[in-house]
Amino acid sequence: MTGAGREELLARLDALAGDEVASGVTRGVADVRGRSVFVFPGQGAQWVGMAVGLLESSPVFAEAIGECESALSAYVDWSLTDVLRGAEGAPGFGRVDVVQPVLFAVMVSLARLWRSVGVEPDAVMGHSQGEIAAACVAGALSLEDAAKVVTLRSQAIAAGLAGRGGMVSVGLPVDQARERIAAWDGAISVAAVNGPGSVVVSGDAGALDEMVAQLEGEEIRVRRVPVDYASHSAHVEEIREELLKVLADLKPRTSEVPFYSTVSGELVDTVGLDAEYWYRNLRQTVELGCSRRWRPLRRRPWSSGPFAATRAVWSGS
């Protein structure tokens, strides 16, 4: 639709709504023959004020948030809606044990909204904590079990890992990144492979400081991730037993929607998404950018990257 000004655009929008023929109005039908994949991001997709507009405008979204709030309330002492609305006294996104459950709730509720308007996933996948939302949306975990994973695991991170490490985004291919961090003899790990020239590394705070200074001196792009813990590194091994204990009674089931794991890089039977899996999800490298390992999703080469020939819907957009 085109127009010379506000009034003309409004008139043509009225014509479109009334199914009338009008100058400047073009109609078409979207090609939906491809497949859709819901891709859920990890921590870092949050922003102050997110979801507030949808809480006010979408009954479907608001209902889903209410269900998430009820599920989370078994494990947290704060209100999901208070955090989203920035209510006085509510904790902020600076706490890992707050931001991860809140992001989970927003992602699951967005998926409910998409489905309510006919957008159904042919597959799901997630980046790091995003896999918890993916598992819930796919039907692999009940909302209650997924809430348990995201809350108790983030609480274990806060209690056992916070204040000792960090994470840094680096503009290098993974092979080059591994060569560079080898100099720190295990103090730095590749945390996530996000694309052909983008990785995240994590590890000891002092080692990361040295690495950042070195790479900046060579004008290689580096950006610190605003966290003080080292997910997807050897640090996580210190909370393994705690995670296996608190998540021991999960009841994963074979999902209704195909689940592509960024832990194994494969389509997996989600009955295996037990406590050990959610430990590995936090400990191992996130294999999001390993495009050669996503061939089962491919149909026709109309895009590039790990989702070639899929229609990916990112919950952070």
Side-chain angles (χ1 to χ4, degrees), residues 154-210:
S154 61
Q155 288 167 13
I157 293 171
L161 304 182
R164 300 177 39 234
M167 305 180 76
V168 175
S169 175
V170 179
L172 287 173
V174 62
D175 291 343
Q176 292 182 32
R178 287 196 170 108
E179 290 176 5
R180 302 301 295 266
I181 66 176
W184 284 274
D185 194 25
I188 304 175
S189 303
V190 174
V193 183
N194 291 333
S198 178
V199 301
V200 174
V201 299
S202 64
D204 297 352
L208 290 174
D209 288 342
E210 294 173 6

Side-chain angles (χ1 to χ4, degrees), residues 173-252:
V174 62
D175 291 343
Q176 292 182 32
R178 287 196 170 108
E179 290 176 5
R180 302 301 295 266
I181 66 176
W184 284 274
D185 194 25
I188 304 175
S189 303
V190 174
V193 183
N194 291 333
S198 178
V199 301
V200 174
V201 299
S202 64
D204 297 352
L208 290 174
D209 288 342
E210 294 173 6
M211 183 207 71
V212 167
Q214 184 180 107
L215 296 183
E216 284 180 338
E218 299 175 33
E219 298 187 348
I220 294 172
R221 180 186 60 78
V222 289
R223 179 181 61 82
R224 291 185 180 274
V225 178
V227 298
D228 65 351
Y229 48 87
S231 297
H232 310 289
S233 79
H235 287 207
V236 178
E237 295 169 11
E238 298 180 24
I239 61 172
R240 179 176 183 271
E241 295 306 316
E242 173 68 11
L243 293 180
L244 296 186
K245 180 176 72 173
V246 299
L247 301 180
D249 61 350
L250 295 179
K251 296 179 175 61

Side-chain angles (χ1 to χ4, degrees), residues 2-33:
T2 61
R6 183 175 185 274
E7 295 305 320
E8 192 169 272
L9 287 170
L10 287 173
R12 290 176 178 178
L13 186 60
D14 285 340
L16 179 63
D19 198 26
E20 301 170 6
V21 176
S23 174
V25 177
T26 303
R27 292 174 173 81
V29 177
D31 180 358
V32 294
R33 290 174 296 174

